[in-house]
Amino acid sequence: FGRGRGAGPHGTFTGPMRPLQSFPPMMMMGPGPGQFPEPSPPFSEEDHHVVEKHQSIFPEREELAIIMEMVQMTERALKSVSDTLATALHAGQREMVGVARVGDLAKSILLAGDRQVELVVMCRLKPTVDLLDTIAGALQPLMAQVAARTGYNYKATALHKQSALTVSLEEGDPPHYTVLVSLTSTQH
């Protein structure tokens, strides 16, 4: 091996030795064998208040599971529609380029009572009413397949003024869940 920095003629260190006082005393090096760190103090009243507040604004597991299942099901259905459109209409060229989660869903900061989440579909060209109707029409049979498999009634509806469509779960009392899917493009 070569001689490193500070090595003497025979590979020995020739630099000054560190004095023993420069090492930290044993008490400052942390707990040793048989020693335990100081236990953390118990929860204070303020800590309990913060935990309770967080639990009150965070969605219940069942509610969050319903929303996330709807989002994943909608993303899979949109991928299937994109594949179908690419083969049927444009000879392999995709009209729908990608899907992104946006808003509170993308940031994973859903609150209790949130019943609507948002997705954005990026299109190759500017989205048109015809494309929106085609996507909504292609989604409806897929929603019927999901309804037959799960027993829940899903519905896809085009919203022309918003350049969007909704996938809704209309089960139970007032708690209806909706995925709003907006269409957009980088084209001007």
Side-chain angles (χ1 to χ4, degrees), residues 1-170:
F1 299 102
R3 294 192 304 211
R5 208 172 140 173
H10 302 289
T12 59
F13 184 77
T14 59
M17 298 261 324
R18 288 179 74 177
L20 290 177
Q21 292 84 358
S22 66
F23 292 103
M26 291 299 286
M27 297 295 285
M28 295 178 68
M29 292 180 73
Q35 297 176 339
F36 299 100
E38 188 74 26
S40 60
F43 275 99
S44 67
E45 188 174 328
E46 290 86 14
D47 293 334
H48 284 291
H49 178 72
V50 168
V51 169
E52 288 174 10
K53 190 65 171 175
H54 179 265
Q55 289 174 345
S56 71
I57 63 173
F58 197 76
E60 297 289 327
R61 284 182 192 228
E62 298 82 23
E63 186 178 25
L64 191 58
I66 290 170
I67 292 170
M68 295 311 293
E69 178 63 28
M70 276 190 68
V71 168
Q72 292 170 354
M73 181 263 312
T74 303
E75 289 171 337
R76 285 190 301 267
L78 288 168
K79 170 73 168 122
S80 177
V81 169
S82 176
D83 292 344
T84 302
L85 293 178
T87 56
L89 300 178
H90 299 289
Q93 193 170 19
R94 292 196 177 274
E95 188 62 38
M96 300 165 58
V97 181
V99 177
R101 297 176 181 186
V102 295
D104 293 344
L105 175 65
K107 298 175 193 170
S108 296
I109 56 171
L110 294 175
L111 299 176
D114 282 351
R115 300 277 189 256
Q116 181 172 319
V117 293
E118 298 176 35
L119 298 175
V120 171
V121 173
M122 290 298 296
C123 299
R124 184 174 55 87
L125 302 172
K126 281 199 258 186
T128 62
V129 172
D130 289 338
L131 177 63
L132 183 64
D133 289 338
T134 302
I135 294 170
L139 278 177
Q140 199 55 48
L142 296 173
M143 296 300 110
Q145 290 174 2
V146 171
R149 190 175 66 242
T150 63
Y152 294 113
N153 184 27
Y154 291 100
K155 181 180 171 185
T157 309
L159 306 172
H160 294 150
K161 290 185 180 182
Q162 295 179 4
S163 184
L165 57 98
T166 59
V167 175
S168 302
L169 171 64
E170 300 177 351

